[in-house]
Amino acid sequence: MKSAWSESRAAVSHDTAESFLDGLVEYRPGLFDDVEAGFLLRRLRATLHWRQPRVRLFGREVDSPRLAAWYGDAGAVYTYSGLRNEPLPWTATLDAIRNSVERATGATFNSVLANLYRDGGDSMGWHSDDEPELLPEAPIASVSLGCPRRFRLQHKRHRHLRLEIPLAPGSLLVMRAPMQQSWRHAVPRERGVEGERVNLTFRRVA
Ligand SMILES: O=C(O)CCC(=O)C(=O)O
Ligand SMILES: [Mn+2]
């Protein structure tokens, strides 16, 4: 329901030449209540095929600071850091979460990247989800479970435009087009966070 959303308009620029580039980020706490969120966290933690992604950094291959798993429709292939990721077939739990997310957003998704942050030492560096196989007009919908973490957004050209949203367990964050063209986002390391967090980012691959 529209009124359930607390919307943060990412565009705070009054420069009309820029404002159409800015996109919209929507945050909805409580897509899942505490009991559901706890259940889903334990289930996904135990049943997804978590792997250690590797990235190329300054010519060397290193471990990413988190674990990940890629699920989706057959053919929803996703390449990042030169690695081709064939999706695993939807599990019943992921498919049920996808249904809730599709109802809440009015969009459809054919794949999901699952991220596991083992503690506050795990993180996601600054990036945009703008790989060529992701449909640029499709939103990206992100479900958070487990330990709350800070989600940061920064405008690419107007770098003083920043937003920080604490992502609560059971919440849904939606980045609407053309957010990925004009903003980047990150989940920084957080000292003192000891618990795990699972994040699901639902995507539409061409
Ligand atoms: O963990 C998060 O909230 C963000 C994940 C993310 O940005 C991604 O998977 O592309
Ligand atoms: Mn992302």
Side-chain angles (χ1 to χ4, degrees):
M1 220 163 46
K2 192 82 175 132
S3 60
W5 291 80
S6 78
E7 289 188 351
S8 313
R9 203 161 260 286
V12 284
S13 169
H14 294 289
D15 179 348
T16 51
E18 296 297 338
S19 60
F20 78 97
L21 289 171
D22 285 338
L24 179 71
V25 57
E26 298 163 335
Y27 178 66
R28 174 177 173 173
L31 176 69
F32 300 108
D33 67 28
D34 290 350
V35 174
E36 291 167 331
F39 171 82
L40 293 172
L41 173 70
R42 286 189 299 278
R43 196 158 183 97
L44 295 174
R45 178 71 184 88
T47 58
L48 297 195
H49 188 64
W50 297 108
R51 280 175 297 181
Q52 172 67 73
R54 307 266 295 165
V55 287
R56 189 158 275 282
L57 204 66
F58 306 117
R60 276 196 318 136
E61 264 213 7
V62 296
D63 286 352
S64 296
R66 63 191 171 276
L67 303 183
W70 177 247
Y71 288 78
D73 296 354
V77 175
Y78 184 49
T79 306
Y80 64 84
S81 290
L83 298 178
R84 194 181 144 86
N85 292 280
E86 295 281 348
L88 294 164
W90 293 97
T91 68
T93 307
L94 284 176
D95 199 32
I97 299 173
R98 169 168 66 156
N99 284 335
S100 301
V101 170
E102 289 186 341
R103 271 200 305 277
T105 58
T108 57
F109 301 94
N110 63 2
S111 50
V112 62
L113 177 65
N115 294 300
L116 171 59
Y117 301 79
R118 292 157 290 189
D119 58 29
D122 275 355
S123 61
M124 173 83 74
W126 286 107
H127 69 283
S128 305
D129 295 309
D130 57 358
E131 286 83 2
E133 59 267 62
L134 294 177
L135 284 183
E137 67 276 18
I140 290 191
S142 160
V143 171
S144 290
L145 301 164
C147 241
R149 294 289 295 264
R150 292 200 283 259
F151 185 76
R152 288 193 177 148
L153 289 149
Q154 183 185 40
H155 197 283
K156 289 183 192 174
R157 270 167 300 139
H158 304 289
R159 300 180 76 169
H160 62 286
L161 296 179
R162 292 160 177 263
L163 211 59
E164 183 174 283
I165 304 173
L167 298 180
S171 69
L172 173 66
L173 177 116
V174 184
M175 291 181 275
R176 303 263 180 198
M179 194 88 206
Q180 305 305 324
Q181 275 61 55
S182 39
W183 293 74
R184 55 173 76 90
H185 54 272
V187 178
R189 290 172 65 165
E190 254 183 88
R191 219 182 265 274
V193 171
E194 279 168 16
E196 291 181 334
R197 167 172 183 262
V198 165
N199 166 261
L200 304 173
T201 53
F202 290 87
R203 295 146 191 264
R204 177 120 214 131
V205 173

